[in-house]
Amino acid sequence: MLLSIDWDAFSGTVPLVFDAPIWGTPDRERDRVEAWRERARTRDPHAPGWSALDADFPLYSGWEEVERYAGIPTTVTLTHADAWAWLQDFPGGDVLNVDSHHDLFSRSGDPSRVRPGNWAGLGLRAGLIRRYTCLYPDWHATLPVAEGFDLERTRGEMTPHLPEVLERVTLARMGQPDVNLPDPSEVSAVLLVQSPAWTNPAHDAAFLRLARTLNAVPLTPPLERPA
């Protein structure tokens, strides 16, 4: 099994935060840095560092369990668009993606161009992925419009976009019976993805420490964003 970990599964949001990027954001340079500065200034322009974001954008527990994969070949990168290169090194395997987004299709832009929101769907169509599971974080259960809140609804939204590969797709959520991170013996390679357009800059240091613990090889170097 290939294991993909998107940092936005842990660097998330609390309910009723209407400028949270989980609801949908582009992945431009300003979305990765300046948009977060704007959020911090809106909340408290005098707060030190990124601390104004703490209440609305917490780092949820569970990410520490990823350290169990130390010793398994690990790649770290900035964006899930880079997953295409990673998949080509391990073609035809099963993929478990721990993520706040299914990454199977995007409703905007060129559907044939690999982007953070469609790499998994394109990988299924190209035969780079045999079976794909998106494992949503358990905190989605408190966010009624998040993808991982109502899995049946989310699967229904996929049907018109992925009719030829949907039978090879599974949606699950952490915290359900028998659903958790896999045993290291089941994992052949790990991909860590920072996704800075979606993740709180205050959590960059934790992400980089995790990458060092796993001795991750950079594909596109992740960011440590200054306040």
Coordinates of all heavy atoms in Angstrom, one line a residue, residues 79-130:
T79 N 2.9 20.3 -2.6 CA 1.6 20.2 -3.2 C 1.3 18.8 -3.7 O 2.2 18.1 -4.1 CB 1.4 21.2 -4.4 OG1 0.2 20.9 -5.1 CG2 2.6 21.1 -5.4
H80 N 0.0 18.4 -3.6 CA -0.4 17.1 -4.1 C -0.3 17.0 -5.6 O -0.5 15.8 -6.1 CB -1.8 16.8 -3.6 CG -1.9 15.6 -2.6 ND1 -2.6 15.6 -1.5 CD2 -1.2 14.4 -2.7 CE1 -2.5 14.5 -0.9 NE2 -1.6 13.7 -1.5
A81 N -0.2 18.0 -6.3 CA 0.1 17.9 -7.8 C 1.3 17.1 -8.0 O 1.5 16.4 -9.0 CB 0.2 19.3 -8.4
D82 N 2.3 17.1 -7.1 CA 3.5 16.4 -7.2 C 3.3 14.9 -7.0 O 4.2 14.1 -7.2 CB 4.5 16.9 -6.2 CG 5.0 18.3 -6.5 OD1 4.9 18.7 -7.6 OD2 5.5 18.9 -5.5
A83 N 2.1 14.5 -6.5 CA 1.8 13.1 -6.3 C 2.0 12.3 -7.6 O 2.2 11.1 -7.6 CB 0.4 12.9 -5.7
W84 N 1.8 12.9 -8.7 CA 1.9 12.2 -10.0 C 3.2 11.6 -10.2 O 3.4 10.5 -10.6 CB 1.5 13.2 -11.2 CG 1.3 12.5 -12.5 CD1 2.1 12.5 -13.5 CD2 0.1 11.8 -12.9 NE1 1.5 11.8 -14.6 CE2 0.3 11.4 -14.2 CE3 -1.1 11.5 -12.2 CZ2 -0.7 10.6 -14.9 CZ3 -2.1 10.8 -12.9 CH2 -1.8 10.4 -14.2
A85 N 4.3 12.4 -9.9 CA 5.6 11.9 -10.0 C 5.9 10.7 -9.0 O 6.5 9.7 -9.4 CB 6.7 13.0 -9.8
W86 N 5.3 10.9 -7.8 CA 5.5 9.8 -6.8 C 4.8 8.5 -7.3 O 5.3 7.4 -7.1 CB 4.9 10.3 -5.5 CG 4.9 9.4 -4.3 CD1 5.9 9.0 -3.6 CD2 3.7 8.9 -3.7 NE1 5.5 8.2 -2.6 CE2 4.2 8.1 -2.6 CE3 2.3 9.0 -3.9 CZ2 3.3 7.5 -1.7 CZ3 1.5 8.3 -3.0 CH2 2.0 7.6 -2.0
L87 N 3.6 8.6 -7.8 CA 2.9 7.5 -8.3 C 3.6 6.7 -9.4 O 3.6 5.5 -9.5 CB 1.5 7.9 -8.8 CG 0.4 8.3 -7.8 CD1 -0.8 8.8 -8.5 CD2 0.1 7.2 -6.9
Q88 N 4.3 7.5 -10.3 CA 5.0 6.9 -11.4 C 6.2 6.0 -10.9 O 6.6 5.1 -11.6 CB 5.5 7.9 -12.3 CG 4.3 8.6 -13.1 CD 4.8 9.7 -14.0 OE1 5.6 10.5 -13.7 NE2 4.2 9.7 -15.2
D89 N 6.7 6.3 -9.6 CA 7.7 5.5 -9.1 C 7.2 4.2 -8.5 O 7.9 3.2 -8.2 CB 8.4 6.2 -8.0 CG 9.3 7.3 -8.5 OD1 9.7 7.2 -9.7 OD2 9.6 8.3 -7.8
F90 N 5.8 4.1 -8.2 CA 5.2 2.9 -7.6 C 3.9 2.6 -8.4 O 2.8 2.6 -7.7 CB 4.9 3.2 -6.1 CG 6.1 3.6 -5.3 CD1 6.3 5.0 -5.1 CD2 7.0 2.7 -4.8 CE1 7.4 5.4 -4.4 CE2 8.1 3.1 -4.1 CZ 8.3 4.5 -3.8
P91 N 3.9 2.4 -9.6 CA 2.7 2.3 -10.4 C 1.8 1.0 -10.1 O 2.4 0.0 -9.8 CB 3.2 2.2 -11.9 CG 4.5 1.7 -11.8 CD 5.1 2.2 -10.5
G92 N 0.5 1.2 -10.1 CA -0.4 0.1 -10.0 C -0.7 -0.4 -8.6 O -1.3 -1.5 -8.5
G93 N -0.3 0.4 -7.6 CA -0.6 -0.1 -6.3 C -1.9 0.5 -5.7 O -2.5 1.4 -6.3
D94 N -2.2 0.1 -4.5 CA -3.4 0.6 -3.8 C -2.9 1.9 -3.0 O -1.7 1.9 -2.5 CB -3.9 -0.3 -2.8 CG -4.6 -1.5 -3.4 OD1 -4.9 -1.5 -4.6 OD2 -4.8 -2.5 -2.7
V95 N -3.7 2.9 -3.0 CA -3.3 4.2 -2.3 C -4.3 4.5 -1.2 O -5.5 4.5 -1.4 CB -3.3 5.3 -3.3 CG1 -3.1 6.7 -2.6 CG2 -2.2 5.1 -4.4
L96 N -3.8 4.8 0.0 CA -4.6 5.3 1.1 C -4.2 6.8 1.2 O -3.0 7.1 1.5 CB -4.4 4.5 2.4 CG -5.0 5.1 3.6 CD1 -6.6 5.2 3.5 CD2 -4.6 4.4 4.9
N97 N -5.1 7.7 1.1 CA -4.9 9.1 1.2 C -5.6 9.7 2.4 O -6.8 9.7 2.4 CB -5.3 9.8 -0.1 CG -5.0 11.3 -0.1 OD1 -4.0 11.7 0.5 ND2 -5.9 12.1 -0.7
V98 N -4.8 10.1 3.4 CA -5.4 10.7 4.6 C -5.5 12.2 4.3 O -4.4 12.9 4.1 CB -4.5 10.5 5.8 CG1 -5.1 11.1 7.1 CG2 -4.3 9.0 6.0
D99 N -6.7 12.8 4.2 CA -6.8 14.1 3.5 C -8.2 14.7 3.9 O -9.1 14.0 4.3 CB -6.8 13.9 2.0 CG -6.3 15.1 1.3 OD1 -6.7 16.3 1.7 OD2 -5.7 15.0 0.2
S100 N -8.3 16.0 3.8 CA -9.6 16.7 4.0 C -10.3 16.8 2.7 O -11.4 17.3 2.7 CB -9.4 18.1 4.6 OG -9.2 18.0 6.0
H101 N -9.7 16.3 1.6 CA -10.3 16.4 0.3 C -10.0 15.1 -0.5 O -8.9 14.6 -0.4 CB -9.8 17.6 -0.5 CG -9.9 18.9 0.2 ND1 -8.9 19.4 1.0 CD2 -10.9 19.8 0.3 CE1 -9.3 20.6 1.5 NE2 -10.5 20.8 1.1
H102 N -11.0 14.7 -1.3 CA -10.8 13.4 -2.0 C -9.8 13.5 -3.1 O -9.3 12.4 -3.5 CB -12.1 12.8 -2.4 CG -12.9 13.7 -3.3 ND1 -12.5 14.2 -4.5 CD2 -14.2 14.3 -3.1 CE1 -13.5 14.9 -5.1 NE2 -14.5 15.0 -4.2
D103 N -9.6 14.6 -3.7 CA -8.6 14.8 -4.8 C -8.9 14.0 -6.0 O -8.0 13.6 -6.8 CB -7.2 14.5 -4.3 CG -6.7 15.5 -3.2 OD1 -7.4 16.5 -3.0 OD2 -5.6 15.3 -2.6
L104 N -10.2 13.7 -6.2 CA -10.5 12.8 -7.4 C -10.9 13.6 -8.6 O -10.7 13.2 -9.7 CB -11.7 11.9 -7.0 CG -11.2 10.8 -6.0 CD1 -12.5 10.2 -5.4 CD2 -10.5 9.7 -6.8
F105 N -11.5 14.8 -8.4 CA -11.8 15.7 -9.6 C -12.0 17.1 -9.0 O -12.2 17.3 -7.9 CB -13.1 15.2 -10.3 CG -14.3 15.3 -9.4 CD1 -15.0 16.5 -9.4 CD2 -14.8 14.3 -8.7 CE1 -16.2 16.6 -8.6 CE2 -15.9 14.4 -7.9 CZ -16.6 15.6 -7.9
S106 N -11.8 18.0 -10.0 CA -12.0 19.5 -9.7 C -13.1 20.0 -10.6 O -13.2 19.6 -11.8 CB -10.7 20.3 -9.9 OG -9.7 19.9 -9.0
R107 N -13.9 20.9 -10.1 CA -15.0 21.4 -10.9 C -14.6 22.6 -11.7 O -15.3 23.1 -12.6 CB -16.2 21.8 -10.0 CG -16.9 20.7 -9.4 CD -18.2 21.2 -8.7 NE -19.0 20.1 -8.2 CZ -18.9 19.4 -7.1 NH1 -18.0 19.8 -6.2 NH2 -19.7 18.5 -6.7
S108 N -13.3 23.1 -11.6 CA -12.8 24.2 -12.3 C -11.5 23.9 -13.0 O -10.8 22.9 -12.5 CB -12.7 25.4 -11.4 OG -11.7 25.2 -10.4
G109 N -11.1 24.6 -14.0 CA -9.9 24.4 -14.6 C -9.9 23.2 -15.6 O -10.9 22.5 -15.8
D110 N -8.7 23.0 -16.2 CA -8.5 21.9 -17.2 C -8.6 20.5 -16.5 O -7.7 20.2 -15.7 CB -7.2 22.1 -17.9 CG -6.9 21.1 -19.0 OD1 -7.7 20.2 -19.1 OD2 -5.9 21.2 -19.6
P111 N -9.5 19.7 -16.8 CA -9.6 18.4 -16.1 C -8.5 17.4 -16.4 O -8.3 16.5 -15.7 CB -11.0 17.9 -16.5 CG -11.3 18.5 -17.8 CD -10.7 19.9 -17.7
S112 N -7.8 17.7 -17.5 CA -6.7 16.8 -17.9 C -5.4 17.2 -17.3 O -4.4 16.4 -17.4 CB -6.6 16.7 -19.4 OG -6.2 18.0 -19.9
R113 N -5.3 18.4 -16.7 CA -4.0 18.8 -16.1 C -3.9 18.4 -14.6 O -4.9 18.6 -13.9 CB -3.9 20.3 -16.2 CG -2.6 20.9 -15.7 CD -2.4 22.4 -16.0 NE -3.5 23.2 -15.4 CZ -3.4 23.7 -14.2 NH1 -2.4 23.4 -13.4 NH2 -4.4 24.4 -13.7
V114 N -2.8 17.8 -14.2 CA -2.7 17.3 -12.9 C -2.6 18.5 -11.9 O -1.8 19.4 -12.1 CB -1.4 16.4 -12.7 CG1 -1.3 16.0 -11.3 CG2 -1.5 15.2 -13.6
R115 N -3.5 18.5 -10.9 CA -3.6 19.5 -9.9 C -3.8 18.9 -8.5 O -4.1 17.7 -8.5 CB -4.7 20.5 -10.2 CG -4.4 21.4 -11.5 CD -5.6 22.1 -11.9 NE -6.7 21.3 -12.4 CZ -8.0 21.6 -12.4 NH1 -8.4 22.7 -11.9 NH2 -8.9 20.8 -12.9
P116 N -3.7 19.6 -7.5 CA -3.9 19.0 -6.1 C -5.3 18.4 -6.0 O -5.4 17.4 -5.3 CB -3.8 20.2 -5.2 CG -2.9 21.2 -5.9 CD -3.2 21.0 -7.4
G117 N -6.3 18.9 -6.7 CA -7.6 18.4 -6.6 C -8.1 17.3 -7.5 O -9.2 16.8 -7.3
N118 N -7.2 16.8 -8.4 CA -7.6 15.7 -9.3 C -6.5 14.7 -9.5 O -6.8 13.7 -10.3 CB -8.0 16.3 -10.6 CG -6.9 16.9 -11.4 OD1 -5.7 16.9 -11.0 ND2 -7.2 17.4 -12.6
W119 N -5.4 14.7 -8.8 CA -4.3 13.8 -9.1 C -4.8 12.3 -8.9 O -4.4 11.4 -9.7 CB -3.1 14.0 -8.2 CG -3.4 13.8 -6.7 CD1 -3.9 14.7 -5.9 CD2 -3.2 12.6 -6.0 NE1 -4.0 14.2 -4.6 CE2 -3.6 12.9 -4.7 CE3 -2.7 11.4 -6.3 CZ2 -3.5 11.9 -3.7 CZ3 -2.6 10.4 -5.3 CH2 -3.0 10.7 -4.0
A120 N -5.6 12.1 -7.9 CA -6.0 10.7 -7.6 C -7.0 10.2 -8.7 O -6.8 9.0 -9.1 CB -6.7 10.6 -6.2
G121 N -7.9 11.0 -9.2 CA -8.8 10.5 -10.2 C -8.0 10.2 -11.5 O -8.3 9.2 -12.2
L122 N -7.1 11.1 -11.9 CA -6.3 10.9 -13.0 C -5.4 9.6 -12.9 O -5.2 8.9 -13.8 CB -5.4 12.1 -13.3 CG -6.2 13.4 -13.8 CD1 -5.2 14.5 -14.0 CD2 -7.0 13.1 -15.1
G123 N -4.9 9.4 -11.7 CA -4.1 8.2 -11.4 C -4.9 6.9 -11.6 O -4.4 5.9 -12.1
L124 N -6.2 6.9 -11.1 CA -7.0 5.8 -11.3 C -7.3 5.5 -12.8 O -7.2 4.4 -13.3 CB -8.4 6.0 -10.6 CG -8.4 5.8 -9.1 CD1 -9.6 6.5 -8.5 CD2 -8.3 4.3 -8.7
R125 N -7.6 6.6 -13.5 CA -7.9 6.4 -15.0 C -6.6 6.0 -15.7 O -6.8 5.2 -16.7 CB -8.4 7.8 -15.5 CG -9.8 8.2 -15.1 CD -10.3 9.4 -15.9 NE -11.6 9.7 -15.6 CZ -12.1 10.6 -14.8 NH1 -11.1 11.4 -14.2 NH2 -13.3 10.9 -14.6
A126 N -5.5 6.4 -15.3 CA -4.2 6.0 -16.0 C -3.7 4.7 -15.6 O -2.7 4.2 -16.2 CB -3.2 7.1 -15.8
G127 N -4.3 4.0 -14.6 CA -3.8 2.8 -14.2 C -2.6 2.9 -13.2 O -2.0 1.8 -12.8
L128 N -2.3 4.1 -12.7 CA -1.2 4.2 -11.8 C -1.7 3.9 -10.4 O -0.9 3.6 -9.5 CB -0.7 5.7 -11.7 CG 0.1 6.1 -13.0 CD1 0.4 7.6 -12.9 CD2 1.4 5.3 -13.1
I129 N -3.0 3.9 -10.1 CA -3.6 3.5 -8.9 C -4.6 2.4 -9.1 O -5.4 2.5 -10.0 CB -4.4 4.7 -8.2 CG1 -3.4 5.9 -8.0 CG2 -5.0 4.2 -6.9 CD1 -4.2 7.1 -7.4
R130 N -4.5 1.3 -8.4 CA -5.4 0.1 -8.5 C -6.7 0.4 -7.8 O -7.8 0.4 -8.4 CB -4.7 -1.1 -8.0 CG -5.6 -2.4 -8.2 CD -4.8 -3.6 -7.8 NE -4.2 -3.6 -6.5 CZ -3.4 -4.5 -6.0 NH1 -3.1 -5.5 -6.8 NH2 -2.9 -4.4 -4.8

